[in-house]
Amino acid sequence: MNQPYPSQLLERAVGEFAKLPGIGRKTAMRLVLHLLRQEQSAVEAFGSAITTLKREVKYCKVCHNISDTDTCSICASPNRDASTICVVETIRDVMAVESTQQFRGLYHVLGGVISPMDGIGPSDLQIESLVERVKQGEIKEVILALSSTMEGDTTNFFIFRKLAPFDVKMTVIARGISIGDELQYTDEVTLGRSIVNRTLFTGNM
Amino acid sequence: MNQPYPSQLLERAVGEFAKLPGIGRKTAMRLVLHLLRQEQSAVEAFGSAITTLKREVKYCKVCHNISDTDTCSICASPNRDASTICVVETIRDVMAVESTQQFRGLYHVLGGVISPMDGIGPSDLQIESLVERVKQGEIKEVILALSSTMEGDTTNFFIFRKLAPFDVKMTVIARGISIGDELQYTDEVTLGRSIVNRTLFTGNM
C-alpha cells in the first residue's frame, strides 16, 4: 500500500526510521507520530542523544569497548584481574558477560568474527592488538567467548594459532545444555559435546 | 537483567529509544548500535529529520491534517469535492482513506475520539471547527469514518447531535464482513449488523 504523505517532513522522518533494522514503514509512522505528540524539548533530547553519541563516543584504546574516555572504566579499574582477558565479538557481549558478575578480568572486543561470506577477514578485526597485549607478557589466560558458530570456531582457531608462540593459557567458554533446558529438545551436536565434555559432579552446580 | 552500560552517552541514547512505544531496552540497544555503525552524516540526517519535523511541521488550519503549508494540499486542491467532508480520528486515517483512492472530498481530523476513561472530552477534539465548517453552508455531506468502538460510536453520536441543526446529510462508513473474511470466523455482532444493514445485490461487488 503506497500511501501518499501529506507532508514531506513527515515522509523524511518516517523514511529515516524505516532504515533501522526490523522497522517497516508502518512502525516508523507510529514512532514518528508518537514523537510528534511529545514536547518539543523531549524530541530535541531524542535527536541530540543520537547525534551526540555518534559524535563523541570513544572506543577504549586497550580493549576497544565503547567508552566515554580513552581507556574504558573496566581497563582502568584497579579492582579487575589484569592477567585474564575475555575475547568477545561485540560490546553487547561485554555487557552480557558483565551482567553475569562471574568475571573479574579484562575484555578484548574483536568487532566481529572471521566471515569470508560477509567479506570479513582477520585484518578487519582487532586481532593484531590482542596479540600485542599478550606479547607484553602480563596476560596469563585468554578466554575465548565467541559465538558457537562456524565463523566463531574459525576465529577461535585463528586466534589460537596466533597466540600459540606465547606462554599463555587459552580456554574457551563451556558449551552444553542451557540451564532449564530439557534434554529431549536439545540438538544432537550440543548434547553429544556436552557428554564428551562432562565435568566432575561435586554436589554444587 | 540490569546491564551496566560502559558509556553514559550510550545509556542515554538507549534510554531515549526505549521511551518509544513497543521498543524495549534490548531492541533500543540494537537500534543504537546499528546507528553507531553508520556514517556520521547518516546519523546526523536521522537526528535532524526528527527534530526538524517537530519544529517545522504545520497542521492545516482547515482540516487539521499534518501539512508543510498553512492549508494542506488536499484542502487547497481545486480537483477535490469541497461539498463532502470525511471525519477521521488521526492523520494516519487520512492516509489510509487516501490510499483507497475511493474518496475525492475533503477531510476533517478530530485528533482522537471522545474517551472519558482517557480524560478526552469533546473540547479536546476538533469538533467546534467542524461545526464552523458546516455552518458556512457549502458542505452537503459529512461522512463519519471513526473506529468501530464504543468511543467511536459515542463520538459519532455527539457529532450527529451537534450537526443536527444544519441542513447536511450525515453518513457513516459501512460496517460488515471484511473482504476475504470467512463467515464462520466473524464475530457475532459484526455478522448480525451486516445482515441488518444488507445492501441490494446488483451483480457488481
Side-chain angles (χ1 to χ4, degrees):
Chain A
M1 193 161 69
N2 186 24
Q3 295 182 328
Y5 284 84
S7 152
Q8 289 186 0
L9 293 168
L10 177 70
E11 184 166 13
R12 189 177 144 221
V14 170
E16 287 291 338
F17 260 104
K19 283 183 195 165
L20 296 174
I23 297 201
R25 293 193 82 81
K26 285 213 165 194
T27 305
M29 184 72 181
R30 193 163 51 83
L31 297 178
V32 169
L33 291 182
H34 170 85
L35 281 170
L36 261 184
R37 281 195 299 272
Q38 308 307 306
E39 296 288 324
Q40 176 80 33
S41 60
V43 177
E44 300 279 353
F46 178 84
S48 98
I50 312 300
T51 48
T52 310
L53 172 68
K54 179 66 183 177
R55 210 180 304 121
E56 295 182 13
V57 79
K58 294 188 178 73
Y59 294 91
C60 173
K61 63 183 184 194
V62 181
C63 73
H64 312 291
N65 189 14
I66 201 169
S67 172
D68 292 338
T69 45
D70 283 340
T71 306
C72 77
S73 55
I74 296 175
C75 286
S77 167
N79 299 322
R80 310 282 305 210
D81 169 16
S83 70
T84 310
I85 291 183
C86 179
V87 178
V88 293
E89 289 171 41
T90 67
I91 62 175
R92 281 167 96 176
D93 299 330
V94 173
M95 291 171 68
V97 175
E98 279 297 283
S99 70
T100 68
Q101 302 193 314
Q102 295 292 318
F103 180 68
R104 300 304 301 163
L106 307 183
Y107 292 91
H108 193 87
V109 181
L110 290 181
V113 281
I114 297 169
S115 174
M117 291 278 282
D118 301 314
I120 301 173
S123 60
D124 298 313
L125 305 173
Q126 295 290 354
I127 293 178
E128 273 311 309
S129 61
L130 173 66
V131 175
E132 284 304 314
R133 286 178 79 179
V134 172
K135 200 179 270 178
Q136 284 165 23
E138 310 227 329
I139 313 292
K140 293 201 181 76
E141 180 177 357
V142 170
I143 303 172
L144 298 167
L146 306 184
S147 295
S148 188
T149 58
M150 201 157 67
E151 289 80 10
D153 289 345
T154 304
T155 313
N156 276 341
F157 191 67
F158 186 88
I159 294 173
F160 180 76
R161 285 202 313 179
K162 276 280 189 183
L163 297 183
F166 306 102
D167 179 27
V168 64
K169 181 177 163 192
M170 293 192 64
T171 54
V172 67
I173 54 167
R175 317 288 192 199
I177 314 294
S178 290
I179 289 163
D181 265 10
E182 289 183 50
L183 234 58
Q184 57 181 325
Y185 302 121
T186 308
D187 70 287
E188 290 157 22
V189 180
T190 302
L191 191 52
R193 283 178 67 166
S194 80
I195 291 170
V196 172
N197 299 322
R198 63 195 178 278
T199 55
L200 211 59
F201 185 72
T202 60
N204 44 11
M205 296 297 276
Chain B
M1 191 161 73
N2 186 22
Q3 294 184 331
Y5 284 83
S7 153
Q8 290 185 0
L9 293 170
L10 178 70
E11 183 166 14
R12 189 179 143 221
V14 171
E16 287 291 338
F17 261 103
K19 283 183 196 166
L20 297 175
I23 297 201
R25 292 194 83 80
K26 286 213 166 194
T27 305
M29 184 74 179
R30 194 162 52 82
L31 297 179
V32 169
L33 291 182
H34 169 84
L35 281 171
L36 260 185
R37 281 195 301 271
Q38 308 308 307
E39 296 288 325
Q40 177 80 33
S41 60
V43 177
E44 300 280 353
F46 178 85
S48 97
I50 312 301
T51 47
T52 310
L53 172 68
K54 178 67 184 175
R55 210 179 304 119
E56 295 181 13
V57 80
K58 295 188 176 75
Y59 293 92
C60 174
K61 62 181 183 195
V62 181
C63 73
H64 312 291
N65 189 15
I66 201 169
S67 172
D68 292 339
T69 45
D70 283 340
T71 307
C72 78
S73 55
I74 295 175
C75 287
S77 167
N79 299 320
R80 310 283 305 209
D81 169 17
S83 69
T84 311
I85 291 183
C86 180
V87 178
V88 294
E89 290 170 39
T90 67
I91 62 173
R92 282 167 94 176
D93 298 330
V94 172
M95 291 171 67
V97 175
E98 279 297 282
S99 70
T100 69
Q101 302 192 315
Q102 297 291 318
F103 180 67
R104 300 305 299 163
L106 306 183
Y107 292 92
H108 193 88
V109 181
L110 290 182
V113 281
I114 296 169
S115 173
M117 292 279 281
D118 301 315
I120 302 173
S123 60
D124 298 314
L125 306 174
Q126 295 290 353
I127 293 178
E128 272 312 310
S129 60
L130 174 64
V131 174
E132 285 302 315
R133 285 179 80 179
V134 172
K135 200 179 272 179
Q136 284 165 25
E138 310 227 330
I139 313 292
K140 294 202 181 73
E141 180 177 358
V142 170
I143 304 172
L144 297 167
L146 306 183
S147 296
S148 187
T149 58
M150 202 156 67
E151 289 80 9
D153 289 344
T154 303
T155 313
N156 277 341
F157 191 67
F158 186 87
I159 293 173
F160 179 75
R161 285 201 312 179
K162 276 279 188 183
L163 297 183
F166 305 101
D167 178 27
V168 65
K169 182 177 163 192
M170 294 193 64
T171 54
V172 67
I173 54 167
R175 318 287 193 200
I177 315 295
S178 290
I179 290 164
D181 264 12
E182 289 183 50
L183 233 58
Q184 57 180 322
Y185 302 122
T186 308
D187 69 287
E188 291 156 23
V189 180
T190 302
L191 190 52
R193 283 178 67 167
S194 78
I195 291 170
V196 171
N197 299 321
R198 64 196 177 278
T199 54
L200 211 59
F201 185 72
T202 58
N204 46 7
M205 294 297 278

